[in-house]
Amino acid sequence: MPASYAYLGPEGTFTEVALRTLPEAATRELIPYVSVQSALDAVRVGEAEAAFVPIENSVEGGITTTLDELVAGAPLMIYREVLLSITFALLVRPGTKLSDIKTVSAHPAAQPQVRNWLKKHLPDAHWESAASNADAARLVQEGQYDAAFAGEFAAARYGLEALETGIHDAENAQTRFVLVGRPARPAAPTGADKTSVVLWQRDDHPGGLRDLLGEFATRGINLMLLQSRPTGAGIGNYCFCIDAEGHISDRRVAEALMGLKRICLQVRYLGSYPRADMRPGDVRSPRPGTSDEEFVSAADWVARCQDGRF
Amino acid sequence: MPASYAYLGPEGTFTEVALRTLPEAATRELIPYVSVQSALDAVRVGEAEAAFVPIENSVEGGITTTLDELVAGAPLMIYREVLLSITFALLVRPGTKLSDIKTVSAHPAAQPQVRNWLKKHLPDAHWESAASNADAARLVQEGQYDAAFAGEFAAARYGLEALETGIHDAENAQTRFVLVGRPARPAAPTGADKTSVVLWQRDDHPGGLRDLLGEFATRGINLMLLQSRPTGAGIGNYCFCIDAEGHISDRRVAEALMGLKRICLQVRYLGSYPRADMRPGDVRSPRPGTSDEEFVSAADWVARCQDGRF
Amino acid sequence: MPASYAYLGPEGTFTEVALRTLPEAATRELIPYVSVQSALDAVRVGEAEAAFVPIENSVEGGITTTLDELVAGAPLMIYREVLLSITFALLVRPGTKLSDIKTVSAHPAAQPQVRNWLKKHLPDAHWESAASNADAARLVQEGQYDAAFAGEFAAARYGLEALETGIHDAENAQTRFVLVGRPARPAAPTGADKTSVVLWQRDDHPGGLRDLLGEFATRGINLMLLQSRPTGAGIGNYCFCIDAEGHISDRRVAEALMGLKRICLQVRYLGSYPRADMRPGDVRSPRPGTSDEEFVSAADWVARCQDGRF
Amino acid sequence: MPASYAYLGPEGTFTEVALRTLPEAATRELIPYVSVQSALDAVRVGEAEAAFVPIENSVEGGITTTLDELVAGAPLMIYREVLLSITFALLVRPGTKLSDIKTVSAHPAAQPQVRNWLKKHLPDAHWESAASNADAARLVQEGQYDAAFAGEFAAARYGLEALETGIHDAENAQTRFVLVGRPARPAAPTGADKTSVVLWQRDDHPGGLRDLLGEFATRGINLMLLQSRPTGAGIGNYCFCIDAEGHISDRRVAEALMGLKRICLQVRYLGSYPRADMRPGDVRSPRPGTSDEEFVSAADWVARCQDGRF
């Protein structure tokens, strides 16, 4: 097994910065790949131990290329997630002044985050899309454009300097990344975990999806993501990528998954892993009747009833 | 342990007839008691092995004295049920003609079943209530009344003859009886079973009872009886006596009971026993996703997910 | 229309006392009837303007004779309810001492309320059931028994005196009575009302009753009584007598009733009337989204959408 | 009001072909726009009467740029939808043979549909993405690439010929387009309609989304699309774009919308319009209890109860 992590490249992007926040990344070789698909395929074929890719952001929602890769093909599992706040720096060649800037470049995904800033400070600058923010920085280094929007961390790599930092039109702009590997035992529960699954409905009838969600709701389990994805069987046919609170070793989650397994056409388990948005102490108590203790005690009681001892 | 069954007496009533349909009754001493309470207490204190009492009929619904005895006090369990169709004979002293009858007697519960027949055939007869139909027959024997409504089987015992048989205003009049014992392992599942429980709600809020019933509904379990009974905590405070399809060893029933145990203030298990109204072959297939096989297979799948092998 | 109220007699019972708490009773002739059925029939045939009968108590729950009369036959409606706390006095002929009492009498319904008191103070007294508590008092007056359990108010009427008052084994023992008339416009809403209906399920399937209750639950309507009663179609066939919070002129109640009307085989409306257990100020605010204002505003919004103006 | 329709250009794409299937398109000027946003803005500012844009396809699911435009900004409404099966032709300059082709081009969205065909017939051809399939055809005309994947209809416009037609990796590949205008009265119901809305949850709790979907489910309304979109309030905050069966003038749909309006933070109505996938005769009967007749009859019944006439 290679001690390496594939990630969505190129180097010098937010993905790499997010990946480096994981302690285990320090002991792996980090290899950029040109697409989510190629990074995940590297894991599937054993070229990499795991892959690190974006899965959700506050502007686009679920990132469909990643979700579609997890939904189809050989099964993979999510082991970790990282949340990264996204703010941009305006990178220029040393000595460039704001008034010198005629062209700016970045990945198109950056545009919603910098549009208002541009309107205010560089209303006449011409926008050129780049394949990545890192690529935009490279093209500024090469003199093709005057300025790039990228992470501040990219300045050093490309010999640029940041004329402005902390640029973000939307407060709370964040991207969520996941570390994906081949199926294995999930990470141990921490008390603040989430579980990801993909659900395919057995048939389509009024209330079908409501009943699926009911398997979570009746056990007091909150949902954090519900993203429909086409099944490939024609327009209007969807499966559902769901992130739910809790760990598969929590009884309420295990029972909900069993219920889904019974009523769905298919369920794909994508893993249980620590939540990046809260620590164990921050998780509210589960709804009465849904704690592990209550599950164990109820199972004991039924066993005693089955035996006639109560 | 005395090899005896207590039953609601006196001798010569429908209860005794129903009891004698049980094969095991042939090998026990059958002892009449004056009330449901005294028959059940005989079981509780060890005077009798089991008690046989009416629990539901098609005119009155759940028989509250029996239900209240099962709801409160030392726990008891139901092991068998018997359904008996109730039709009456008009019993008279030999030689009595219809036109001779001026007074008729029976237990008050018989009245709704014979009212129309009386109106048509004996419009002028005077009704006198008796403590039991058997007692009415005895009083006819002693000459106090001219005729008694009772089971045809009572004629011989009291030296009477049946002027008319098969009297029943309501079609489908039936009484359901149960054999009740101290808690022990329930009867083995037959494929056509029912399970009885008493539920106390944790708190009273819109949807509280709906959620309790949802524990059955989401697992495809039909209900056959839902009878509210006062808890004793004041008007408007009820617990619920429920008969549900299936046996506690059916996975869907066991899981429903666990769910109820977790969300109810209290659950009293009253037993799982063969249904008297159908045989195993007559039971419809459970709803998709609720068979034992599907429960086992879903539990296996979750166990494999917990292990990362799927 | 006779300005008279029928009530369940005889005179001198708790029913009469409860009836006299209604201001309108002061201006009517109050006529005792021998049974609930005869009192309600008096209303149906126009002999009485309304009938006053017990419908629920804290020991027996729903009073089945009254419920069955409301469920079947020509439709009637409930216009008022009265709650009466039930405590007993021990009535004796003047001069009788506790140690003189060998026999006591009352209606059988009184027994659960005085059993413990008897065990403690008159362990050797012999119990004789009477047709009513008032009748027991009359029989004490006539010398047939030594003491009667009845309402203290009955003492004067029968020339007896109360050796003891406030006898009640169960705290919070109450009986609820209703004033029943022919169908007419319900009483105006007060802000603290209840609505009574009878529901017959269209068919019997897992979740059927849960779905009926869901019509109340999804609109934030709490239930105060759910009493199953046999439909007469054979054992296991039940309709449901339900008391729900709110008035039929409340939008959420009206919409719940419409929903029930659509999915039930049959719905019988039994009226909307002021709650006896709380005043308007005591009623908690309805669940968000279920107030009249929110219903009106949502209906307005849909009307505007239908018109393309929003 | 200009008698013109804006559409997502350029000319010669599937969007234009789909638009021309609408009879009303024959009487309008059809104006291509460079983006969904600019086409919809043309409607908002009154430059165009309506805009025609793709909203869902069988590969990508809901088209997020279109959904996000409908979710935010000045309200718009959908009046028509068109379903178009997507198959590609391989367009070349006249005389080009398969073996001559070294480079192929198309819009990236075409790639999943032609990948397998390319692997089999042109395994060595180099892929170049174009801004649209029509643009790819233009670049073939200009000699920049050897072949373009585009609709067969584009051949004539660019002086090309189709070497192969009917290319489609996935069966049932379809795109759904909608005609969007400023708010006005919805199209009259046809019996086979759908209704589009956007829902924002009031708060996030276990069962929240399940309850929203319950407003449709309890009224027997099937869903055809459920697409979550970020609200802009940070990662994990979503609203839901929903297509439901039926027309806002159907009582069950109107009542479901009222229910949603009451329990949601916000509801945006996006219109009711004829379904492109079935004709009125193909629509299955609504679930018992949810037809217009049953709604009207239930409302009548409640009105009669409110009046005391029943």
Side-chain angles (χ1 to χ4, degrees), chain B residues 4-74:
Chain B
S4 69
Y5 285 170
Y7 71 95
L8 176 64
E11 295 174 61
T13 62
F14 287 108
T15 306
E16 186 190 345
V17 170
L19 172 54
R20 291 192 182 279
T21 65
L22 289 180
E24 54 268 48
T27 62
R28 263 73 173 189
E29 186 186 4
L30 308 184
I31 308 172
Y33 280 75
V34 297
S35 68
V36 168
Q37 190 184 353
S38 58
L40 294 177
D41 280 348
V43 177
R44 284 189 170 109
V45 301
E47 252 175 54
E49 181 187 347
F52 191 78
V53 292
I55 195 166
E56 184 184 10
N57 73 49
S58 48
V59 172
E60 275 306 302
I63 293 173
T64 57
T65 48
T66 301
L67 293 173
D68 287 350
E69 279 296 316
L70 294 174
V71 163

Side-chain angles (χ1 to χ4, degrees), chain A residues 134-150:
Chain A
D135 214 45
R138 186 180 55 79
L139 294 168
V140 170
Q141 184 185 33
E142 296 178 358
Q144 188 164 344
Y145 304 131
D146 299 328
F149 288 104

Side-chain angles (χ1 to χ4, degrees), chain C residues 6-10 32-41 51-53 65 69:
Chain C
Y7 70 96
L8 175 65
Y33 280 75
V34 297
S35 67
V36 168
Q37 190 184 354
S38 57
L40 294 177
D41 280 348
F52 191 80
V53 293
T65 48
E69 278 297 315

Side-chain angles (χ1 to χ4, degrees), chain B residues 56 58-62 64 174 176 205-207 209-210 213 217 220 222 225-230 234-236 238 287, chain C residues 56 58-62 64 174 176 205-207 209-210 213 217 220 222 225-230 235-236 238 287:
Chain B
E56 184 184 10
S58 48
V59 172
E60 275 306 302
T64 57
Q174 288 189 307
R176 187 163 67 90
H205 63 277
L209 179 57
R210 190 244 332 229
L213 301 187
N222 209 9
L225 177 72
L226 172 75
Q227 175 82 46
S228 57
R229 295 303 305 148
I235 205 161
Y238 288 95
R287 176 181 291 194
Chain C
E56 183 183 9
S58 48
V59 172
E60 275 307 301
T64 57
Q174 288 189 307
R176 187 164 67 91
H205 63 278
L209 180 57
R210 190 246 330 231
L213 301 187
N222 208 10
L225 178 72
L226 172 75
Q227 174 82 46
S228 56
R229 294 303 306 148
I235 206 162
Y238 288 95
R287 176 181 291 194

Side-chain angles (χ1 to χ4, degrees), chain C residues 245-266:
Chain C
E245 281 180 349
H247 192 281
I248 194 174
S249 67
D250 295 338
R251 300 273 180 139
R252 65 184 173 284
V253 175
E255 200 188 271
L257 293 183
M258 287 181 217
L260 290 166
K261 181 70 177 173
R262 293 196 312 268
I263 65 176
C264 286
L265 181 66
Q266 194 192 336

